[in-house]
């Protein structure tokens, strides 16, 4: 195993967010510490002593993986994110901190690794090592699931998904039980069928994803952040905007076995409040993802579905809806699974690409 | 009659408009005999259906009683114009705003008192229930919307040949019509109303809603209204057609800087719909947002449809609902989406009468005791509005106009129509040789050609009813109607499916019938039959005197000679062997020269344009055919001096012959009832024909049509049965209409012979020959020994 020089980063530059994972070695010997250049130390201190960077960078402290052993070293894995439009600020910081003098390789994935490659070169004097985003995603998911850490289980599902108020999060062990349908909900959505670590295919995708939710919410309600949009959605009632089967048929549409509460047409009614619009947007986008996922699961003959991606961050409502939709429309055949590190798997995969180049 | 466009606007205020701009009796036709009403009330349009009977004049040919021959004088047979009652289905589509006026009109004109209920379907049915019951005094009987939709869909797919089409925005013709596979099942129907229903249809009565989505037309409308403050559905579509979605959507290239090559995702692909609008500090244009929304919804529906089609292994996917309803923008985006998600494996299909499906289905539910599904029905081109382009670029006025009505009329056909069992591949059979929808040059030529010929047709129509003073007035109405049809077709060539010479001819026949000119050629046909009969024995004798080989040639020349004289052809005066001499100004008076006719038969101008005579002669030296099916063409010289001697020779060889002629009149084509009489007369002179008739070796059948052309996929069921029973191994098709305009490329599973003289210089030119070039096409299917 070749020992890579520190710092160890993995970066995933998506359409909306940049996800960064940083491995902080905790087993630095005195010898190493003396040899550690100033720049490297300064970066380590900056990242680990703060939980927010600039106005938009955030470290998800609750996701930090402590005492992780990686490539013969032990340390903590940190999870950091900031909006893609702030990437120039990040590059400027890298320049200020003389990142390029460290002669390290910066492994990056996601579309931005391609789009901003030349910017990294000119603005930060950094050469990116580009990795395929789906390779990284699959690798990241399987890795995080495989490392045993203390604390809450990585993978979980919802018990009693049919009862939105009483369904509870339960731990689940994913292990190496293939095949899996992996649904990554970022700005857009990619759906992968995973048969082993090295054998997967992209089944399909949809442009109706997290970006659509936020984009429509901004236009419809005037909000500007994902958190704001979610907060509004949690107060709203989508049935004030959507037309349900019972609104048309007065009850169930028995001829086709459609219960009265099924949404017949989204956004078909005049809304009363902005938050109803936010809620309807969330429900519409989520149900649509659920619907496409379910069809893919049937077509690919796969029964377990893992949902990841930052659309699900702090978005318990969507997770419950997905869990319910999978369970109800498949008569309990499909199981919806979720992972705590939602949006960071691409970045983790990029880090693994640095340490174990394939 | 004014042009009838389709306006699918939402009239947000439901004020009743009492001012119908068109006289309603031209819309709600035959109301006095109407019964069995059905109504489908949608969000903006009402579709009314009823069954009615139409009194028609038909020309009946009656043989004289032979025992009193003297009384008959010189006449061959008697032509009597009789009244006949035929069944017709009427479907009318209009904006909801006119519903009250229309109900009033119906109430005032409804005579039939047996009608007690009106079948109703559609989302708006409950809203107008009380109004309908009060106005008409009929009980409103609600029918399930989806069931009606499917029933209607099955009906149009089965009965209207060019019902389904593929939409291609940038192709020469926007609409590519599909030949209907006789087996319409199974298929997927994606109905995009407010929401989306995806229905798998396996048979007439078996269908299942296998999925759906809440993101549908209502979402486009509702979200679109919220985003753009534009309330009307049509205006939203207009906005969308002008917008740029890339300013609102996050594309793959916005994330990658270019394409995501290793997944084959191009840079222009939408990665995240509305992904760029996730910002508070930017304004977006209404057009761009509407476009982005349209793409989002169309792509999503297309994707779901593909996933369901794949899961259920279905390749035919029809789209309908108010989101589609002829809107080019939505048809384009749905088509694009389906192509993208299936890589071209599945085609998005749309329906010409999509808007009528619910009404047709509701009607069929109520008319079950009349067994409408037992019959074949045909679209009446005279009474139907046809498909109108709603493309704003194509006809900007059409969409803006309101108060228009759209109509569909279907005639119950006397005969049940089926495929000719001898078609090599019924699903790929296309009767027509040239699709004028795609060939602009040919279209222009033929439209002008039919326009120029119109005066002659009008004259002949008047002349055919010399004792009826108001015939001239009716003929003038016919002229106006057909002229208007031609003008419409010039702008909307796709109005009735693919435009072809056949459809132009059929439309003319429908219009003539509409104005009670059932058989303008009846007298001419009678006269020419009479003349030709006089020479039958002489012709047979002349042929008998020839050597076997010379006779085979002369028989073919005889068919061609007979066929060259055709009232439909305009260049006939130029024919060098014009054995009919025109006398005076009255073009229907002619003198027949038997000598010139024989000269033509015995002279050779080979090689012909298409010439497989040598192969045919070689074949005749072999064993006889079991049974020949002969589709005949004109009356007079053609049938009597051309076809009959040819048939006689086949019979003498030991081949049974089935003579197929038209069920109803068209131009000077011989009809089945005329042919019955002619054959009897010939049998009286010719023992060969006589014994063949009596021994059933010569059989006369009707083909089920009244067209100068021939559609081998819609033939009389009896004919098809007979063809199978007799193990027919030779099909002979004669004449320009049947062997050139149609069936020139038809592939049969047995030997076939196509014979015609090209009597149109433009067409001759197209085929690489000269005027009066001969086509003699003898074909043996691959794999069969000669």
């Amino acid at each position: 195993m070749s020992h890579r020089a520190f710092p160890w980063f993995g970066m995933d530059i998506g359409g909306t967010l940049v996800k960064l994972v940083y491995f902080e070695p905790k087993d630095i010997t005195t010898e190493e510490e003396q040899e550690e250049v100033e720049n490297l130390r300064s970066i380590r201190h900056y990242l680990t002593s703060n939980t927010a960077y600039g106005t938009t960078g955030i470290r998800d402290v609750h996701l930090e993986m402590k005492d992780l052993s990686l490539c013969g070293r032990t340390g903590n894995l940190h999870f950091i994110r900031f909006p893609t439009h702030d990437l120039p600020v990040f590059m400027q910081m890298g320049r200020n901190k003389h990142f390029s003098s460290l002669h390290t390789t910066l492994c990056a994935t996601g579309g931005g690794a391609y789009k901003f490659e030349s910017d990294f070169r000119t603005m930060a004097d950094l050469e990116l090592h580009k990795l395929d985003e789906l390779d990284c995603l699959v690798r990241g998911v399987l890795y995080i699931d495989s490392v045993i850490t203390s604390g809450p289980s990585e993978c979980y599902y919802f018990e009693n998904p049919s009862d939105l108020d009483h369904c509870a999060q339960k731990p689940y062990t994913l292990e190496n039980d293939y095949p899996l349908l992996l649904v990554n909900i970022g700005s857009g959505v990619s759906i992968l069928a995973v048969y082993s670590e090295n054998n997967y295919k992209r089944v399909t995708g949809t442009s109706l994803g997290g970006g659509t939710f936020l984009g429509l919410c901004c236009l419809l309600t005037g909000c500007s952040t994902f958190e704001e949009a979610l907060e509004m959605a949690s107060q709203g009632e989508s049935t004030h905007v959507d037309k349900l089967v019972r609104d048309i048929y007065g009850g169930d549409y028995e001829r086709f076995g459609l219960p009265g509460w099924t949404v017949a047409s989204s956004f078909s009614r005049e809304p009363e409040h902005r938050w109803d619009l936010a809620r309807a947007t969330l429900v519409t986008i989520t149900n649509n993802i659920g619907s496409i996922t379910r069809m893919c699961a049937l077509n690919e003959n796969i029964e377990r579905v893992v949902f990841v991606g930052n659309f699900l961050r702090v978005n318990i409502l969507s997770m419950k809806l997905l869990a319910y939709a999978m369970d109800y429309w498949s008569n309990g055949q499909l199981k919806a699974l979720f992972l705590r590190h939602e949006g960071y798997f691409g970045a983790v995969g990029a880090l693994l690409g640095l340490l174990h180049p394939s | 009659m004014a042009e009838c466009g389709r306006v699918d606007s939402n009239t947000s205020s439901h004020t009743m408009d009492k001012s119908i701009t068109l006289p309603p009796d031209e819309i709600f036709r035959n109301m006095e005999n109407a019964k069995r009403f059905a109504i489908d009330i949608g969000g903006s349009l009402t579709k009314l259906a009823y069954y009615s009977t139409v009194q028609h004049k038909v020309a009946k040919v009656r043989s004289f009683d032979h025992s009193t021959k003297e009384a008959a004088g010189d006449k061959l047979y008697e032509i009597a114009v009789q009244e006949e009652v035929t069944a017709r289905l009427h479907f009318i589509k209009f904006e909801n705003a006119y519903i009250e006026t229309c109900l009033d009109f119906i109430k005032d004109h409804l005579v039939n008192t047996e009608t007690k209920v009106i079948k109703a379907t559609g989302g708006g049915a409950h809203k107008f229930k009380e109004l309908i019951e009060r106005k008409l005094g009929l009980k409103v009987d609600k029918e399930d919307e989806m069931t009606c939709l499917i029933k209607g869909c099955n009906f149009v797919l089965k009965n209207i040949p060019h019902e389904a089409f593929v939409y291609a925005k940038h192709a020469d013709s926007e609409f590519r019509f599909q030949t209907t596979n006789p087996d319409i099942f199974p298929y997927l129907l994606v109905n995009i109303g407010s929401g989306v229903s995806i229905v798998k249809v396996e048979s007439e009565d078996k269908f299942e809603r296998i999925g759906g989505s809440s993101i549908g037309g209502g979402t486009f409308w509702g979200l679109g209204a919220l985003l753009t403050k534009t309330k009307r559905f049509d205006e939203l579509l207009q906005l969308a057609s002008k917008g740029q979605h890339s300013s609102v959507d996050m594309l793959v290239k916005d994330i990658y800087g270019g394409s995501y090559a290793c997944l084959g995702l191009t840079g222009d692909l939408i990665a995240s719909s509305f992904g760029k609008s996730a910002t508070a500090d930017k304004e977006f244009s209404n057009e761009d947002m509407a476009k982005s929304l349209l793409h989002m919804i169309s792509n999503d529906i297309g994707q779901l449809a593909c996933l369901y089609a794949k899961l259920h292994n279905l390749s035919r996917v029809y789209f309908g609902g108010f989101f589609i309803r002829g809107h080019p923008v939505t048809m384009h985006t749905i088509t694009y989406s389906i192509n993208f998600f299936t890589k071209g494996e599945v085609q998005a299909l749309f329906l010409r009468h999509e808007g009528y499906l619910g009404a047709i289905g509701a009607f069929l539910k109520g008319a079950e005791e009349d067994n409408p599904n037992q019959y074949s029905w045909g679209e009446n081109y005279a009474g139907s509005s046809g498909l109108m382009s709603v493309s704003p670029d194509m006809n900007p006025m059409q969409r803006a106009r309101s108060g228009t009505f759209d109509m569909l009329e279907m005639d119950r056909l006397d005969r049940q129509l089926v495929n000719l069992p001898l078609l090599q591949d019924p699903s790929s059979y296309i009767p027509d040789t040239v699709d004028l929808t795609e060939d602009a040059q040919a279209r222009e030529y033929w439209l002008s050609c039919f326009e120029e010929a119109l005066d002659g047709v009008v004259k002949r129509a008047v002349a055919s009813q010399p004792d009826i003073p108001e015939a001239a007035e009716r003929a003038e109405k016919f002229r106006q109607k057909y002229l208007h049809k031609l003008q419409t077709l010039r702008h909307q060539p796709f109005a009735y499916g693919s435009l072809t010479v056949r459809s132009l001819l059929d439309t003319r026949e429908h219009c003539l019938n509409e104005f009670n000119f059932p058989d303008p050629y009846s007298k001419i046909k009678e006269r020419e039959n009479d003349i030709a009969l006089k020479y039958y024995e002489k012709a047979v004798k002349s042929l008998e005197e020839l050597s076997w080989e010379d006779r085979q040639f002369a028989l073919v020349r005889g068919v061609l000679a007979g066929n060259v004289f055709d009232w439909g052809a305009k260049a006939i005066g130029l024919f060098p062997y014009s054995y009919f001499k025109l006398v005076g100004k009255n073009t229907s008076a002619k003198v027949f020269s038997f000598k010139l006719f024989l000269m033509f038969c015995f002279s050779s101008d080979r090689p012909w344009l298409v010439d497989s005579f040598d192969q045919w002669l070689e074949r005749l030296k072999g064993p006889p055919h079991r049974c020949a099916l002969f589709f005949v063409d004109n009356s007079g010289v053609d049938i009597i001096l051309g076809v009959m001697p040819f048939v006689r020779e086949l019979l003498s060889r030991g081949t049974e012959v089935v003579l197929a002629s038209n069920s109803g009149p068209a131009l000077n084509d011989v009809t089945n009832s005329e042919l019955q009489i002619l054959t009897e007369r010939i049998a009286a002179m010719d023992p060969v024909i006589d014994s063949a008739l009596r021994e059933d070796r010569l059989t006369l059948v009707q083909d089920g049509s009244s067209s100068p052309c021939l559609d081998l996929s819609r033939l009389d069921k009896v004919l098809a049965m007979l063809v199978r029973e007799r193990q027919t191994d030779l099909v002979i098709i004669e004449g320009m209409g049947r062997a050139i305009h149609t069936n020139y490329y038809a592939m049969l599973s047995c030997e076939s012979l196509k014979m015609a003289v090209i009597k149109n210089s433009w067409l001759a030119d197209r085929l690489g020959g000269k005027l009066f070039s001969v086509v003699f096409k003898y074909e043996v299917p691959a794999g069969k020994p000669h």
Side-chain angles (χ1 to χ4, degrees), chain B residues 34 95 152 170 202 270 283 296 305 307 323 369 407 412 448 533 545 548 551-552 559 601 623 638 658 748-749 760:
Chain B
E95 280 184 70
H170 300 297
E202 286 177 277
I270 305 169
E283 288 282 316
M296 176 180 106
L307 286 166
F323 185 68
E369 61 190 83
M407 291 173 291
R412 195 175 80 192
S448 308
L533 272 178
E545 284 164 3
W548 181 84
R551 187 165 70 247
Q552 301 315 311
V559 172
C601 292
D638 187 359
V658 176
L748 296 167
S749 60
N760 172 294

Side-chain angles (χ1 to χ4, degrees), chain B residues 492-545:
Chain B
Q492 326 258 29
F494 42 77
Y496 301 97
S498 289
L499 183 69
T500 60
V501 175
R502 175 170 62 110
S503 71
L504 287 169
L505 284 164
D506 289 351
T507 306
R508 193 166 71 188
E509 296 297 328
H510 290 180
C511 290
L512 280 167
N513 273 321
E514 189 64 32
F515 293 99
N516 273 321
F517 293 107
D519 194 359
Y521 287 85
S522 55
K523 297 222 156 54
I524 296 171
K525 287 188 288 184
E526 187 189 17
R527 196 155 49 235
E528 288 179 3
N529 286 333
D530 193 39
I531 294 168
L533 272 178
K534 294 198 170 90
Y535 294 96
Y536 176 77
E537 284 176 298
K538 271 195 213 170
V540 168
K541 190 159 167 281
S542 314
L543 288 161
E544 298 256 270
E545 284 164 3

Side-chain angles (χ1 to χ4, degrees), chain A residues 284-295:
Chain A
T284 304
I285 300 288
T286 306
N287 279 340
N288 189 60
I289 294 168
S291 180
I292 291 173
T293 300
R294 198 171 57 81
M295 289 309 296

Side-chain angles (χ1 to χ4, degrees), chain A residues 237-247 261-271 276-277 279-285 287, chain B residues 214 219:
Chain A
E237 182 60 66
S238 63
T239 51
H240 292 162
V241 185
D242 295 339
K243 199 179 265 180
L244 307 185
V245 165
R246 68 164 173 259
D247 295 329
W261 50 258
T262 318
V263 182
S265 177
S266 303
F267 288 96
S268 272
R269 302 204 314 183
E270 289 275 332
D276 292 338
L277 289 171
R279 178 66 164 240
T281 310
L282 187 75
V283 170
T284 304
I285 300 288
N287 279 340
Chain B
S214 69
T219 316

Side-chain angles (χ1 to χ4, degrees), chain B residues 358-538:
Chain B
I360 295 175
F363 169 80
L364 292 173
K365 282 289 274 185
E368 268 156 4
E369 61 190 83
D370 284 336
N371 285 320
N373 269 324
Q374 262 184 15
Y375 298 95
S376 288
W377 297 80
E379 181 179 9
N380 186 308
Y381 296 142
S384 302
S385 315
L387 183 69
M388 293 297 152
S389 173
V390 281
S391 162
D393 320 322
M394 224 171 162
N395 203 340
M397 289 312 293
Q398 209 151 28
R399 292 190 68 74
R401 198 195 301 137
S402 61
T404 49
F405 287 70
D406 188 275
M407 291 173 291
L408 165 66
E409 293 186 7
M410 299 199 52
D411 288 323
R412 195 175 80 192
L413 308 177
D414 295 336
R415 327 284 300 182
Q416 220 182 328
L417 304 182
V418 296
N419 269 311
L420 178 69
L422 297 169
L423 281 175
Q424 217 169 65
D425 176 16
S427 60
S428 68
Y429 168 73
I430 299 168
D432 307 285
T433 307
V434 182
D435 183 346
L436 303 180
T437 331
E438 283 174 7
D439 190 334
Q441 201 196 346
R443 175 168 73 239
E444 192 41 48
Y445 171 78
W446 286 110
L447 284 170
S448 308
C449 194
F450 276 85
E451 241 166 51
E452 285 163 26
L454 190 51
D455 276 344
V457 178
V458 170
K459 261 187 216 157
R460 197 150 302 116
V462 177
S464 72
Q465 298 178 354
D467 311 325
I468 307 171
E470 44 78 49
E473 198 184 309
R474 261 188 294 122
E476 192 48 40
K477 280 187 186 161
F478 152 75
R479 180 213 298 280
Q480 292 306 325
K481 180 130 195 175
Y482 189 56
L483 203 58
H484 181 259
K485 290 275 166 195
L486 290 175
Q487 277 157 1
T488 306
L489 287 166
R490 189 167 256 132
H491 294 115
Q492 326 258 29
F494 42 77
Y496 301 97
S498 289
L499 183 69
T500 60
V501 175
R502 175 170 62 110
S503 71
L504 287 169
L505 284 164
D506 289 351
T507 306
R508 193 166 71 188
E509 296 297 328
H510 290 180
C511 290
L512 280 167
N513 273 321
E514 189 64 32
F515 293 99
N516 273 321
F517 293 107
D519 194 359
Y521 287 85
S522 55
K523 297 222 156 54
I524 296 171
K525 287 188 288 184
E526 187 189 17
R527 196 155 49 235
E528 288 179 3
N529 286 333
D530 193 39
I531 294 168
L533 272 178
K534 294 198 170 90
Y535 294 96
Y536 176 77
E537 284 176 298
K538 271 195 213 170

Side-chain angles (χ1 to χ4, degrees), chain A residues 32-269:
Chain A
E32 274 178 323
E33 191 148 11
Q34 280 164 359
E35 279 178 21
E36 191 179 34
V37 291
E38 183 49 39
N39 290 343
L40 186 57
R41 192 172 314 147
S42 129
I43 288 167
R44 179 156 54 94
H45 276 289
Y46 175 70
L47 290 177
T48 55
S49 60
N50 292 302
T51 56
Y53 314 93
T55 50
T56 54
I58 285 163
R59 182 155 64 89
D60 282 312
V61 183
H62 67 287
L63 294 180
E64 181 179 336
M65 293 169 80
K66 288 194 186 321
D67 304 320
L68 181 72
S69 86
L70 185 60
C71 267
R73 302 301 298 253
T74 308
N76 299 342
L77 197 57
H78 298 279
F79 298 86
I80 298 161
R81 62 186 151 89
F82 57 90
T84 305
H85 61 74
D86 282 339
L87 198 61
V89 181
F90 175 80
M91 288 190 253
Q92 192 56 48
M93 190 194 79
R95 190 189 185 94
N96 295 345
K97 294 195 183 298
H98 303 288
F99 204 93
S100 62
S101 67
L102 297 172
H103 301 291
T104 185
T105 313
L106 187 52
C107 279
T109 186
Y114 295 80
K115 186 182 179 183
F116 301 110
E117 188 181 15
S118 64
D119 290 347
F120 269 96
R121 201 177 293 134
T122 53
M123 289 177 68
D125 194 23
L126 276 173
E127 206 55 50
L128 290 188
H129 180 59
K130 305 190 294 296
L131 296 161
D132 178 77
E133 74 172 293
L134 298 184
D135 284 344
C136 288
L137 173 68
V138 173
R139 209 166 172 187
V141 166
L142 298 178
Y143 172 77
I144 295 288
D145 178 63
S146 69
V147 290
I148 296 147
T149 53
S150 52
S153 162
E154 178 65 23
C155 183
Y156 59 94
Y157 70 99
F158 287 90
E159 202 177 49
N160 301 322
S162 54
D163 186 350
L164 278 182
D165 298 323
H166 298 99
C167 70
Q169 236 169 285
K170 293 278 168 185
Y172 188 85
T173 335
L174 201 56
E175 289 175 328
N176 291 330
D177 204 0
Y178 299 108
L180 290 174
L181 204 64
L182 182 58
V183 182
N184 186 33
I185 317 173
S187 310
V189 181
S190 271
I191 300 179
L192 316 181
V194 183
Y195 301 98
S196 76
E197 181 170 354
N198 300 312
N199 180 14
Y200 74 87
K201 67 172 180 186
R202 183 178 188 271
V203 179
T204 190
T206 165
S207 69
L208 282 83
T212 315
F213 164 64
L214 185 53
L216 277 176
C217 274
C218 290
L219 292 173
L220 293 171
T221 70
C223 72
S224 56
T225 67
F226 183 64
E227 287 77 5
E228 236 182 295
L230 276 184
E231 175 55 33
M232 240 191 280
S234 70
Q235 294 168 30
E237 182 60 66
S238 63
T239 51
H240 292 162
V241 185
D242 295 339
K243 199 179 265 180
L244 307 185
V245 165
R246 68 164 173 259
D247 295 329
I248 301 172
Y249 292 98
D252 299 348
Y253 190 4
E254 281 161 19
R255 174 72 180 78
F256 291 123
L258 287 179
W261 50 258
T262 318
V263 182
S265 177
S266 303
F267 288 96
S268 272
R269 302 204 314 183

